[in-house]
């Protein structure tokens, strides 16, 4: 079938370009060294004051060169022990959809106007329980939190 | 046997056009693949990343240097092409007019794989549209490229496109259009190889200057 | 340290490239011709692993030098970069360096001194208090990185022009060069140094600079890309000899004007 030639060529081109959409194996914002607590690892990252309300809706990225979106900040909460977590939607597409999980803020870093989860892989985040507001209190927008930094992941 | 050439004897693709076409082809490849190398350091579509074998320049600095070298070839060649095309009437003659029903007809024919290129001297309506599109995309690349290169000196150009990050998106979108064009263009050229030969050797002689209206059958 | 295309693992010895750079300036014509050839021939190889043969590298650097001159011509000393309301300042700013944040080595502001060198009349070192006593200027400008990202930052500090005038610097010299505590040499042209939106920044968003952003003093200029803004400055030199810079010695363009 001579008419199939364009389809074959087009498919070949698509296959050649497809790896461009694949994720780079390049390591990004380094995970905390083994045995180090999240708080200790944040202390190494020059934690900076940031207004809790300013974190709302920020994109949360995976620390890889292709800057894969894990979700968005939905709210910031504090548990009975006083630990602050970022509630994010996880497992959706491009920051939309998915379910809510609460990630300790010390597992995350600021990257300009975005955030990254450095202490957990997406696989580990997938094992997080779905967030329920019980036993947490929302952190007021004007609260100043201290969050660690990272350089861009490449 | 050498045919005597009258002054009015014209080729489908005059030498100037052929030279400019191939300079542009090389410059485009340099701009696109070095652009991918620059893109990677701060992606525009999260998750989309260009692998090393598609990038020109071993790392960002050399991609930047390739890009800022290629821009002169792309920009100056493009300016000469547009000036030539307008001055000689070639652009108008080849690319206008475009009638909607011709577009529909060509699309239907193409869907039936009737890619007839018996007469290389006449562009079908879809071809005309694609050529106009790629010329506009190239102008977009030059303007957005200038804005990205000199966002302070040309700050009004940046505002025109809606801010620096938005200029980046326009620059990326222009690349997507051009890459899409190149894929179709190369595919069709390979399917009708005499078009490639024409762009190398000049193609058939044009007996007389056709009126712009006569471009579509 | 993470592997990065911004930090090549086979980084050439900086001194060698700097040497090449001066050599290249005399070889520009030849370099351009070579570039013309390689542009065409290398296109055929883009699908393959394009190495950096010496000739290609030199040609690209020669064009880059030419671009530096074109950029200097395009530069309008009176053209101001867009400014923004203080409400748009990103707090804290975005961190970036050639190493990750965990490797930042804070500078002690109490013992810190700014050394001066080159074509400057009064080379007395400056303390942080000395700088704070000079007239200050606040600017809210966009920081644009060569990588493509940008953010709006609010900086307060001594206009570099004021500082250079006070110290009796030769304002007709070509370059202003910087040394930093993190070994990130950098330099800009005098025209950019004298631009009203070029400051020796001491504060961000009304607060003293935080450690990761260059405390006690960093350069912030609205007319250059991010990598021309050295942090943790320890020395300033005014000179007519091309001083280069950290990324410039690895291939990035020197002028990097916006």
């Amino acid at each position: 079938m001579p008419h199939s030639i364009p389809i074959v060529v087009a498919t070949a081109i698509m296959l050649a370009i497809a790896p461009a959409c694949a994720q780079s194996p390049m390591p990004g914002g380094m995970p905390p060294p083994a045995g180090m607590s999240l708080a200790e690892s944040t202390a190494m990252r020059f934690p900076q004051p940031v207004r809790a309300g300013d974190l709302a809706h920020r994109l949360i990225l995976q620390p890889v060169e292709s800057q894969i979106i894990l979700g968005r900040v939905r709210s910031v909460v504090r548990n009975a022990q006083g630990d602050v977590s970022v509630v994010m939607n996880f497992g959706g597409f491009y920051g939309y959809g998915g379910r809510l999980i609460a990630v300790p803020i010390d597992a995350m870093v600021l990257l300009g106007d975005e955030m990254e989860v450095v202490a957990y892989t997406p696989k580990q985040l997938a094992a997080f329980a779905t967030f329920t507001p019980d036993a947490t209190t929302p952190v007021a927008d004007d609260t100043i939190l201290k969050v660690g930094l990272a350089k861009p992941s490449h | 046997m050498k045919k005597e050439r009258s002054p009015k004897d014209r080729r489908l693709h005059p030498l100037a056009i052929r030279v400019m076409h191939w300079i542009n082809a090389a410059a485009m490849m340099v701009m696109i693949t070095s652009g991918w190398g620059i893109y990677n350091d701060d992606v525009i579509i999260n998750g989309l990343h260009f692998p090393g074998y598609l990038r020109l320049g071993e790392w960002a600095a050399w991609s930047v240097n390739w890009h800022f070298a290629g821009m002169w070839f792309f920009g100056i060649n493009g300016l000469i092409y547009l000036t030539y095309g307008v001055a000689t009437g070639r652009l108008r003659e080849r690319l206008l007019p475009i009638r909607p029903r011709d577009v529909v007809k060509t699309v239907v024919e193409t869907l039936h794989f009737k890619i007839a290129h018996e007469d290389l001297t006449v562009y079908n309506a879809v071809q005309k549209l694609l050529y106009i599109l790629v010329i506009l995309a190239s102008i977009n690349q030059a303007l957005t490229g200038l804005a990205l290169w000199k966002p302070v000196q040309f700050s009004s150009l940046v505002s025109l496109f809606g801010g620096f990050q938005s200029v980046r998106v326009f620059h990326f979108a222009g690349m997507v259009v051009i890459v899409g064009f190149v894929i179709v263009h190369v595919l069709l050229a390979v399917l009708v190889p005499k078009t490639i030969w024409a762009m190398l050797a000049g193609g058939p002689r044009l007996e007389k200057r056709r009126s712009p209206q006569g471009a579509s059958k | 340290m993470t592997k990065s295309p911004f930090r090549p693992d086979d980084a050439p010895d900086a001194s060698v490239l700097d040497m090449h750079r001066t050599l290249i300036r005399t070889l520009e014509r030849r370099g351009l011709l070579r570039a013309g050839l390689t542009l065409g021939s290398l296109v055929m190889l883009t699908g393959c692993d394009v190495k950096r043969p010496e000739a290609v590298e030199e040609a690209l650097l020669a064009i880059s030098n030419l671009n530096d001159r074109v950029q200097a011509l395009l530069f309008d000393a009176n053209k101001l970069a867009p400014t923004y309301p203080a409400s748009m300042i990103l707090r804290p700013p975005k961190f970036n360096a050639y190493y990750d944040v965990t490797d930042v080595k804070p500078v002690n502001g109490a013992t810190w001194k700014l050394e001066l060198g080159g074509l400057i009349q009064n080379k007395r070192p400056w303390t942080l208090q000395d700088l704070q006593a000079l007239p200050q200027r606040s600017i809210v400008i966009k920081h644009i990185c060569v990588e493509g990202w940008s953010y709006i930052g609010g900086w307060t500090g001594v206009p570099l022009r004021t500082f250079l005038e006070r110290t009796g610097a030769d304002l007709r010299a070509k370059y202003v060069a910087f040394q930093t505590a993190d070994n990130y040499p950098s330099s800009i042209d005098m025209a950019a140094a004298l631009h009203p939106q070029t400051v020796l920044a001491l504060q961000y968003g009304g607060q003293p600079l935080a450690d990761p952003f260059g405390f006690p003093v960093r350069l912030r200029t609205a007319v250059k890309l991010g990598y021309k803004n050295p942090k943790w400055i320890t020395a300033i030199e005014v000179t007519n000899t091309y001083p280069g810079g950290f990324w410039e010695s690895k291939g990035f363009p020197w002028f990097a004007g916006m």
Side-chain angles (χ1 to χ4, degrees):
Chain A
M1 252 209 348
H3 293 339
S4 62
I5 292 171
I7 298 164
V8 171
V9 177
T11 310
I13 291 168
M14 291 313 289
L15 283 175
I17 292 173
C21 305
Q23 177 197 332
S24 150
M26 207 79 89
M30 298 299 275
M36 186 180 270
S37 75
L38 292 182
E40 283 167 339
S41 76
T42 290
M44 285 173 56
R45 297 183 169 278
F46 291 87
Q48 296 297 309
V50 62
R51 213 180 136 264
D54 288 351
L55 298 180
H57 312 302
R58 286 195 180 196
L59 279 178
I60 300 174
L61 308 176
Q62 195 186 335
V64 289
E65 212 176 357
S66 52
Q67 297 173 252
I68 290 169
I69 296 174
L70 296 172
R72 265 182 201 276
V73 178
R74 294 300 163 197
S75 62
V76 183
V77 297
R78 196 186 299 271
N79 68 12
Q81 289 76 47
D83 300 325
V84 175
S85 287
V86 169
V87 178
M88 64 179 287
N89 57 322
F90 176 81
F93 179 73
Y94 234 76
Y96 299 97
R99 65 193 178 89
L100 295 182
I101 58 172
V103 181
I105 200 161
D106 283 343
M108 302 172 77
V109 293
L110 296 170
L111 193 77
D113 58 4
E114 294 165 339
M115 296 187 84
E116 275 182 353
V117 180
V118 287
Y120 299 110
T121 63
K123 214 171 174 179
Q124 289 171 317
L125 291 177
F128 274 45
T130 298
F131 171 72
T132 47
D134 323 331
T136 67
T137 47
V139 171
D141 281 356
D142 281 330
T143 311
I144 300 296
L145 304 168
K146 284 216 159 187
V147 186
L149 305 174
K151 78 181 287 288
S153 292
H154 54 69
Chain B
M1 199 178 76
K2 217 171 174 188
K3 200 180 156 189
E4 224 177 301
R5 291 183 64 173
S6 76
K8 282 181 183 172
D9 207 12
R10 294 193 309 145
R11 290 290 199 126
L12 168 65
H13 302 308
L15 182 64
I17 286 290
R18 280 176 271 155
V19 170
M20 287 189 276
H21 171 270
W22 292 110
I23 289 177
N24 185 59
M28 284 275 200
M29 285 306 290
V30 166
M31 294 309 276
I32 291 167
T33 52
S34 62
W36 290 347
I38 298 167
Y39 164 96
N40 269 9
D41 271 355
D42 188 53
V43 306
I44 289 167
I45 297 177
N46 293 74
L48 173 67
H49 199 251
F50 296 100
Y53 64 86
L54 286 177
R55 307 192 301 241
L56 183 58
E58 200 174 347
W59 62 290
W62 296 100
S63 296
V64 164
N65 287 334
W66 272 110
H67 212 68
F68 289 169
M71 71 178 184
W72 296 111
F73 293 83
F74 167 74
I76 294 171
N77 187 64
L79 263 183
I80 297 173
Y81 170 80
L82 288 179
T83 311
Y84 176 98
V86 170
T88 62
R90 179 184 166 94
L91 285 175
R92 204 166 73 104
E93 180 188 300
R94 293 293 155 84
L95 303 181
L96 297 175
I98 301 173
R99 299 189 187 92
R101 66 183 150 88
D102 291 342
V103 177
V104 173
K105 189 174 147 239
T106 315
V107 168
V108 170
E109 281 174 359
T110 309
L111 287 177
H112 289 89
F113 295 110
K114 270 197 239 164
I115 306 168
H117 267 50
E118 281 88 31
D119 185 358
L120 293 186
T121 65
V122 177
Y123 294 166
N124 69 44
V126 169
Q127 268 179 303
K128 290 179 184 176
L129 265 185
L130 287 180
Y131 286 130
I132 289 172
L133 185 69
V134 80
I135 288 171
L136 290 178
S138 300
I139 293 170
N140 172 75
Q141 291 314 78
L143 289 177
T144 52
L146 205 57
L148 292 175
W149 188 44
K150 291 275 156 270
V152 171
Q153 304 309 319
F154 303 121
S155 52
S156 40
L157 195 57
V158 174
S159 320
L160 191 72
F161 283 97
F164 186 80
Q165 290 306 323
S166 146
V167 180
R168 288 184 73 210
V169 173
F170 274 100
H171 201 61
F172 183 84
M175 178 278 293
V176 171
V177 169
I178 291 171
V179 168
F181 170 86
V182 168
I183 290 173
V184 173
H185 184 70
V186 171
L187 195 62
L188 289 178
V190 169
L191 289 178
V192 190
K194 64 181 172 179
T195 58
I196 303 174
W197 183 242
M199 195 42 90
L200 288 165
R205 288 181 198 286
L206 305 181
E207 289 313 317
K208 59 181 190 331
R209 179 172 281 272
R210 287 171 291 126
S211 76
Q213 310 304 329
S216 69
K217 289 183 274 193
Chain C
M1 228 188 258
T2 56
K3 190 184 178 302
S4 155
F6 215 72
R7 276 176 274 136
D9 30 303
D10 61 337
D13 180 28
S15 62
V16 173
L17 262 177
D18 273 344
M19 205 168 70
H20 277 206
R21 195 180 163 97
T22 44
L23 183 74
I24 285 156
R25 289 194 164 167
T26 65
L27 289 174
E28 264 179 17
R29 274 178 62 87
R30 243 170 71 193
L32 276 167
L33 285 174
R34 280 209 216 102
L37 295 173
T38 51
L39 274 177
S41 53
L42 264 173
V43 160
M44 306 303 155
L45 297 171
T46 47
C48 316
D49 191 0
V50 179
K51 289 293 167 198
R52 298 187 269 118
E54 194 81 343
V56 176
E57 196 173 280
E58 283 186 13
L60 289 175
L61 288 179
I63 297 180
S64 185
N65 283 352
L66 187 74
N67 286 345
D68 281 358
R69 279 193 236 150
V70 174
Q71 294 188 72
L73 287 176
L74 282 173
F75 180 74
D76 176 355
N78 297 315
K79 175 93 184 173
L80 292 181
T83 54
Y84 305 85
S87 59
M88 290 177 77
I89 296 174
L90 176 72
R91 296 164 199 263
K94 184 161 177 163
F95 172 76
N96 196 25
Y98 64 91
Y99 43 83
D100 202 1
V101 71
T102 50
D103 292 324
V104 167
K105 303 278 183 290
V107 168
N108 183 344
T111 56
W112 173 88
K113 277 202 167 54
L114 176 63
E115 309 281 343
L116 302 183
L119 306 170
I120 295 178
Q121 276 171 11
N122 187 351
K123 296 198 182 68
R124 167 182 71 87
W126 287 65
T127 64
L128 183 52
Q129 288 74 24
D130 294 338
L131 284 177
Q132 284 163 341
L134 285 182
Q136 309 282 308
R137 182 190 167 115
S138 291
I139 47 175
V140 181
I141 49 172
K142 196 165 267 188
H143 176 119
I144 296 177
C145 179
V146 68
E147 297 177 344
W149 50 264
S150 61
Y151 71 87
I152 292 167
W155 308 88
T156 303
V158 183
L160 186 54
R161 173 190 276 272
T162 305
F163 183 78
L164 293 174
E165 284 169 353
R166 292 279 176 119
T167 52
D170 180 358
L171 302 185
R172 293 159 308 168
K174 283 190 191 161
Y175 309 104
V176 179
F178 304 87
Q179 296 294 328
T180 72
D182 68 333
N183 288 318
Y184 184 87
S186 187
S187 59
I188 58 175
D189 52 297
M190 183 58 80
L194 298 179
H195 190 272
Q197 289 169 314
T198 299
V199 298
L200 290 171
L202 308 174
Q203 294 188 352
Y204 184 84
Q207 300 291 321
L209 286 183
D211 282 323
F213 306 112
F215 178 82
V217 178
R218 68 170 297 173
L219 185 70
R220 266 309 281 130
T221 173
V223 294
K224 296 285 183 193
L225 288 171
Y227 69 93
K228 306 296 288 188
N229 292 263
K231 303 186 272 282
W232 307 283
I233 295 173
T234 54
I236 298 178
E237 185 189 14
V238 173
T239 176
N240 282 312
T241 310
Y242 172 71
F246 182 87
W247 289 118
E248 292 86 337
S249 67
K250 294 173 171 46
F252 269 109
W254 172 76
F255 194 89
M258 299 204 294

